[in-house]
Short mmCIF file of all heavy atoms in Angstrom, two decimals:
data_model
loop_
_atom_site.label_atom_id
_atom_site.label_comp_id
_atom_site.label_asym_id
_atom_site.label_seq_id
_atom_site.Cartn_x
_atom_site.Cartn_y
_atom_site.Cartn_z
N ARG Z 117 87.95 88.19 99.22
CA ARG Z 117 87.31 89.14 98.30
C ARG Z 117 86.00 89.65 98.89
O ARG Z 117 85.67 90.84 98.77
CB ARG Z 117 87.03 88.48 96.95
CG ARG Z 117 88.26 88.01 96.22
CD ARG Z 117 87.88 87.38 94.88
NE ARG Z 117 88.90 86.45 94.44
CZ ARG Z 117 88.84 85.73 93.33
NH1 ARG Z 117 87.77 85.84 92.55
NH2 ARG Z 117 89.80 84.90 93.00
N ALA Z 118 85.25 88.77 99.50
CA ALA Z 118 83.94 89.14 100.05
C ALA Z 118 84.06 90.11 101.21
O ALA Z 118 83.10 90.80 101.56
CB ALA Z 118 83.18 87.89 100.48
N GLN Z 119 85.25 90.21 101.81
CA GLN Z 119 85.45 91.08 102.96
C GLN Z 119 85.89 92.49 102.57
O GLN Z 119 85.93 93.39 103.42
CB GLN Z 119 86.49 90.47 103.90
CG GLN Z 119 86.05 89.16 104.52
CD GLN Z 119 87.17 88.49 105.30
OE1 GLN Z 119 88.21 89.09 105.56
NE2 GLN Z 119 86.95 87.23 105.68
N VAL Z 120 86.21 92.71 101.30
CA VAL Z 120 86.66 94.03 100.85
C VAL Z 120 85.48 95.00 100.90
O VAL Z 120 84.36 94.68 100.51
CB VAL Z 120 87.22 93.95 99.42
CG1 VAL Z 120 87.56 95.34 98.89
CG2 VAL Z 120 88.45 93.06 99.39
N ASN Z 121 85.73 96.22 101.38
CA ASN Z 121 84.70 97.25 101.40
C ASN Z 121 84.71 97.96 100.04
O ASN Z 121 85.54 98.82 99.78
CB ASN Z 121 84.97 98.26 102.52
CG ASN Z 121 83.83 99.25 102.68
OD1 ASN Z 121 83.00 99.42 101.79
ND2 ASN Z 121 83.79 99.92 103.82
N PHE Z 122 83.76 97.59 99.19
CA PHE Z 122 83.68 98.15 97.84
C PHE Z 122 82.94 99.48 97.81
O PHE Z 122 82.74 100.04 96.74
CB PHE Z 122 83.01 97.15 96.90
CG PHE Z 122 83.82 95.90 96.67
CD1 PHE Z 122 83.59 94.76 97.41
CD2 PHE Z 122 84.83 95.89 95.72
CE1 PHE Z 122 84.35 93.62 97.22
CE2 PHE Z 122 85.59 94.75 95.50
CZ PHE Z 122 85.36 93.61 96.26
N ASP Z 123 82.55 99.97 98.97
CA ASP Z 123 81.86 101.26 99.05
C ASP Z 123 82.78 102.37 99.53
O ASP Z 123 82.32 103.45 99.91
CB ASP Z 123 80.63 101.15 99.95
CG ASP Z 123 79.54 100.31 99.30
OD1 ASP Z 123 78.81 100.86 98.47
OD2 ASP Z 123 79.45 99.10 99.59
N ARG Z 124 84.07 102.13 99.49
CA ARG Z 124 85.08 103.17 99.78
C ARG Z 124 85.82 103.49 98.48
O ARG Z 124 86.10 102.60 97.68
CB ARG Z 124 86.06 102.68 100.84
CG ARG Z 124 85.41 102.43 102.20
CD ARG Z 124 86.44 102.00 103.22
NE ARG Z 124 87.44 103.04 103.43
CZ ARG Z 124 88.56 102.86 104.14
NH1 ARG Z 124 88.83 101.67 104.68
NH2 ARG Z 124 89.42 103.84 104.30
N PRO Z 125 86.15 104.76 98.26
CA PRO Z 125 86.79 105.17 97.00
C PRO Z 125 88.10 104.47 96.69
O PRO Z 125 88.46 104.34 95.52
CB PRO Z 125 87.01 106.67 97.19
CG PRO Z 125 85.97 107.08 98.19
CD PRO Z 125 85.83 105.91 99.12
N HIS Z 126 88.82 104.01 97.71
CA HIS Z 126 90.11 103.37 97.42
C HIS Z 126 89.96 102.06 96.67
O HIS Z 126 90.95 101.49 96.20
CB HIS Z 126 90.89 103.17 98.72
CG HIS Z 126 90.48 101.95 99.50
ND1 HIS Z 126 89.38 101.93 100.33
CD2 HIS Z 126 91.00 100.69 99.55
CE1 HIS Z 126 89.27 100.74 100.88
NE2 HIS Z 126 90.22 99.97 100.42
N ALA Z 127 88.73 101.54 96.56
CA ALA Z 127 88.50 100.30 95.81
C ALA Z 127 88.65 100.50 94.31
O ALA Z 127 88.70 99.53 93.55
CB ALA Z 127 87.11 99.76 96.12
N ILE Z 128 88.73 101.76 93.87
CA ILE Z 128 88.81 102.09 92.44
C ILE Z 128 90.25 102.26 91.99
O ILE Z 128 91.10 102.79 92.71
CB ILE Z 128 88.02 103.39 92.15
CG1 ILE Z 128 86.53 103.19 92.39
CG2 ILE Z 128 88.27 103.90 90.74
CD1 ILE Z 128 85.84 102.25 91.42
N ASP Z 129 90.55 101.84 90.79
CA ASP Z 129 91.85 102.08 90.15
C ASP Z 129 91.79 103.48 89.53
O ASP Z 129 91.48 103.65 88.36
CB ASP Z 129 92.08 101.01 89.08
CG ASP Z 129 93.44 101.15 88.40
OD1 ASP Z 129 94.13 102.17 88.62
OD2 ASP Z 129 93.78 100.25 87.60
N TRP Z 130 92.11 104.48 90.34
CA TRP Z 130 91.93 105.87 89.92
C TRP Z 130 92.90 106.28 88.82
O TRP Z 130 92.55 107.08 87.94
CB TRP Z 130 92.06 106.81 91.11
CG TRP Z 130 90.90 106.70 92.03
CD1 TRP Z 130 90.85 106.11 93.27
CD2 TRP Z 130 89.57 107.18 91.78
NE1 TRP Z 130 89.59 106.19 93.79
CE2 TRP Z 130 88.79 106.84 92.91
CE3 TRP Z 130 88.97 107.85 90.71
CZ2 TRP Z 130 87.43 107.15 92.98
CZ3 TRP Z 130 87.63 108.17 90.79
CH2 TRP Z 130 86.88 107.82 91.92
N ALA Z 131 94.10 105.76 88.84
CA ALA Z 131 95.07 106.10 87.79
C ALA Z 131 94.55 105.66 86.43
O ALA Z 131 94.63 106.41 85.43
CB ALA Z 131 96.42 105.46 88.09
N ARG Z 132 93.99 104.46 86.38
CA ARG Z 132 93.45 103.95 85.11
C ARG Z 132 92.22 104.76 84.68
O ARG Z 132 92.06 105.10 83.50
CB ARG Z 132 93.08 102.48 85.28
CG ARG Z 132 92.53 101.81 84.02
CD ARG Z 132 93.64 101.59 83.00
NE ARG Z 132 93.11 100.94 81.81
CZ ARG Z 132 92.91 99.62 81.68
NH1 ARG Z 132 93.20 98.80 82.69
NH2 ARG Z 132 92.45 99.12 80.56
N ALA Z 133 91.35 105.08 85.63
CA ALA Z 133 90.15 105.85 85.31
C ALA Z 133 90.52 107.24 84.77
O ALA Z 133 89.95 107.70 83.77
CB ALA Z 133 89.27 105.98 86.55
N GLU Z 134 91.47 107.88 85.41
CA GLU Z 134 91.86 109.22 84.95
C GLU Z 134 92.48 109.17 83.56
O GLU Z 134 92.22 110.03 82.72
CB GLU Z 134 92.84 109.86 85.94
CG GLU Z 134 93.22 111.28 85.55
CD GLU Z 134 94.05 111.98 86.61
OE1 GLU Z 134 94.29 111.39 87.68
OE2 GLU Z 134 94.47 113.14 86.37
N GLN Z 135 93.28 108.14 83.29
CA GLN Z 135 93.90 108.04 81.96
C GLN Z 135 92.85 107.86 80.88
O GLN Z 135 92.94 108.47 79.80
CB GLN Z 135 94.89 106.87 81.93
CG GLN Z 135 95.64 106.75 80.61
CD GLN Z 135 96.38 108.03 80.25
OE1 GLN Z 135 97.23 108.48 81.02
NE2 GLN Z 135 96.06 108.62 79.10
N VAL Z 136 91.83 107.05 81.15
CA VAL Z 136 90.77 106.85 80.17
C VAL Z 136 90.01 108.15 79.93
O VAL Z 136 89.69 108.51 78.79
CB VAL Z 136 89.81 105.73 80.62
CG1 VAL Z 136 88.53 105.73 79.78
CG2 VAL Z 136 90.50 104.38 80.51
N LEU Z 137 89.73 108.91 80.99
CA LEU Z 137 89.03 110.19 80.83
C LEU Z 137 89.88 111.21 80.07
O LEU Z 137 89.36 111.98 79.26
CB LEU Z 137 88.62 110.74 82.19
CG LEU Z 137 87.54 109.93 82.92
CD1 LEU Z 137 87.30 110.51 84.31
CD2 LEU Z 137 86.24 109.92 82.12
N LEU Z 138 91.17 111.20 80.32
CA LEU Z 138 92.07 112.08 79.55
C LEU Z 138 92.08 111.70 78.08
O LEU Z 138 92.09 112.57 77.20
CB LEU Z 138 93.49 112.03 80.14
CG LEU Z 138 93.69 112.74 81.48
CD1 LEU Z 138 95.05 112.37 82.07
CD2 LEU Z 138 93.57 114.26 81.31
N ASP Z 139 92.09 110.40 77.81
CA ASP Z 139 92.00 109.95 76.42
C ASP Z 139 90.70 110.43 75.79
O ASP Z 139 90.68 110.87 74.62
CB ASP Z 139 92.08 108.41 76.36
CG ASP Z 139 93.47 107.87 76.65
OD1 ASP Z 139 94.44 108.64 76.53
OD2 ASP Z 139 93.56 106.68 76.99
N CYS Z 140 89.61 110.34 76.54
CA CYS Z 140 88.32 110.80 76.03
C CYS Z 140 88.37 112.28 75.67
O CYS Z 140 87.92 112.68 74.59
CB CYS Z 140 87.22 110.56 77.07
SG CYS Z 140 86.73 108.85 77.27
N ARG Z 141 88.89 113.08 76.56
CA ARG Z 141 88.94 114.52 76.31
C ARG Z 141 89.75 114.84 75.06
O ARG Z 141 89.45 115.79 74.33
CB ARG Z 141 89.51 115.27 77.50
CG ARG Z 141 88.55 115.39 78.66
CD ARG Z 141 88.75 116.68 79.42
NE ARG Z 141 88.45 117.84 78.58
CZ ARG Z 141 87.25 118.42 78.50
NH1 ARG Z 141 86.24 117.93 79.18
NH2 ARG Z 141 87.06 119.47 77.75
#
């Protein structure tokens, strides 16, 4: 876990984030 690069966008669960934003809208 400590070796993961958390400063690259692929570290994010984008599908989940987009669904939450769509729910918000």
Side-chain angles (χ1 to χ4, degrees):
R117 298 180 204 179
Q119 295 172 12
V120 174
N121 187 343
F122 293 95
D123 290 279
R124 296 182 62 189
H126 81 278
I128 294 292
D129 182 351
W130 289 107
R132 181 72 179 277
E134 183 173 357
Q135 183 56 58
V136 167
L137 292 175
L138 287 169
D139 287 341
C140 287
R141 285 213 64 91

